[in-house]
Amino acid sequence: MKIDQKLIEEYDQNGAVCLRNVFDKAWIDLARVGIEKNLASPSSFGEKLKGDKSDGHYFDDYCNWNRIEEFKKFAFESPAAAIAGTLTKSKEVSFYHEHVLVKEPGTDKETPWHHDQSYYPIDGDKVCSIWMPVDPVPRETCVQFVAGSHRWGWYQPIKFETTLPYRVVDGDGDRRTYQPVPDVEANRDKYNILTWDVQPGDCIVFHMKCLHGAPGNASRTCWRRVLSTRWLGDDAVITRRPWRTSPPTTGGLKTGDRAVSSNFPSSGDTTIKTTHVFQKLE
């Protein structure tokens, strides 16, 4: 069984697609436990950002799957790998890392508009993230995407806390041209912006070069807890960037190597798993 072709085409065209009811309660509960463990014990990558007008925090942390068993189990046993493999048209995908994204009730800190791939030492087009909430997320709080922007080229990575661009430390490390991120928020009428109301069990899959951002969480009672997993398909290889990459690891690989290693474990043949994953969509 295969995912509906219209959804694959939507992902190809827009760079982002919402899949409904593809993770059952057991996976949601597992991810929720892992997120709570991560909140209680952040890594050195963890940060809590605060806006100017409220007391709520925006927490994010990543690359904890080796120490938080729930994240490892989710990555290697859930439908996520097959979802990534199907939408990127890859027979094999490797698990890059997980990223926890939490906005407490009353958080006015916004996620600035950006795309992900320029942060990473990864080249290739078959690359995606699976953004999976463990709480109901209304459209007003959900991540937003500029449709088609995954085909627009490369954008400078920016710091979430300051929105300043990353500092160039190796001008010869990468010869491509990086554009400043456009001011999407001030010119929303010029873009086709996608967003959805999502429930636990749903997910949003998006290309790593698709521009996206997110509002704060204005609710005084509801959390917005998300487990995002990053996936590298058949054509993903290690590359250099002119700045310190985030996360700052190449998995022990050299420039040009296929992005599969003990740090980026292969999921195996994703075509074997698609029957299990997409039964609910037929």
Side-chain angles (χ1 to χ4, degrees), residues 91-247:
K91 183 174 181 181
E92 178 188 24
V93 296
S94 54
F95 174 57
Y96 186 24
H97 66 277
E98 93 296 329
H99 197 165
V100 167
L101 304 158
V102 175
K103 290 188 177 177
E104 300 172 351
T107 298
D108 69 318
K109 180 65 176 177
E110 298 179 346
T111 306
W113 288 93
H114 67 288
H115 76 192
D116 291 342
Q117 198 168 350
S118 60
Y119 291 77
Y120 304 152
I122 301 295
D123 270 351
D125 192 54
K126 297 182 177 184
V127 290
C128 72
S129 294
I130 300 176
W131 192 93
M132 190 199 75
V134 301
D135 304 297
V137 179
R139 182 181 297 263
E140 295 76 22
T141 306
C142 191
V143 62
Q144 305 173 357
F145 302 88
V146 178
S149 57
H150 60 307
R151 298 174 177 168
W152 293 355
W154 293 87
Y155 292 98
Q156 296 171 349
I158 59 173
K159 295 285 187 180
F160 279 20
E161 184 171 13
T162 64
T163 70
L164 294 174
Y166 272 35
R167 183 170 63 90
V168 172
V169 295
D170 181 8
D172 295 325
D174 188 350
R175 295 292 188 177
R176 78 193 70 209
T177 299
Y178 293 89
Q179 311 167 62
V181 177
D183 191 348
V184 176
E185 201 59 36
N187 299 278
R188 293 178 67 92
D189 59 327
K190 297 181 180 180
Y191 300 98
N192 179 12
I193 296 178
L194 307 174
T195 191
W196 297 270
D197 295 298
V198 288
Q199 297 293 322
D202 302 340
C203 70
I204 299 171
V205 186
F206 62 96
H207 193 287
M208 288 180 179
K209 285 174 69 179
C210 190
L211 284 170
H212 59 285
N217 179 14
S219 172
R220 305 305 301 184
T221 58
C222 298
W223 287 70
R224 198 215 71 172
R225 294 172 294 178
V226 172
L227 178 63
S228 194
T229 50
R230 320 292 191 189
W231 299 91
L232 309 176
D234 292 334
D235 69 346
V237 297
I238 300 299
T239 192
R240 296 173 67 185
R241 297 279 181 244
W243 36 73
R244 187 172 183 265
T245 57
S246 175

Side-chain angles (χ1 to χ4, degrees), residues 82-95:
I83 291 172
T86 300
L87 287 176
T88 64
K89 302 174 185 175
S90 294
K91 183 174 181 181
E92 178 188 24
V93 296
S94 54
F95 174 57

Side-chain angles (χ1 to χ4, degrees), residues 10-81:
E10 184 178 338
Y11 172 81
D12 287 344
Q13 178 178 345
N14 293 334
V17 67
C18 183
L19 303 181
R20 301 293 186 184
N21 195 31
V22 289
F23 292 99
D24 63 28
K25 184 177 184 297
W27 295 118
I28 302 301
D29 291 344
L30 185 79
R32 189 179 290 116
V33 171
I35 290 171
E36 291 307 309
K37 286 184 177 180
N38 200 173
L39 285 167
S41 177
S43 76
S44 60
F45 296 135
E47 59 182 355
K48 291 182 73 173
L49 307 179
K50 187 173 175 294
D52 299 326
K53 301 177 182 177
S54 66
D55 295 328
H57 289 90
Y58 172 27
F59 171 86
D60 79 289
D61 199 0
Y62 48 84
C63 295
N64 290 294
W65 63 269
N66 265 320
R67 72 183 184 93
I68 297 179
E69 187 63 30
E70 288 80 6
F71 293 160
K72 180 182 291 188
K73 185 176 179 66
F74 182 90
F76 300 147
E77 299 180 29
S78 84

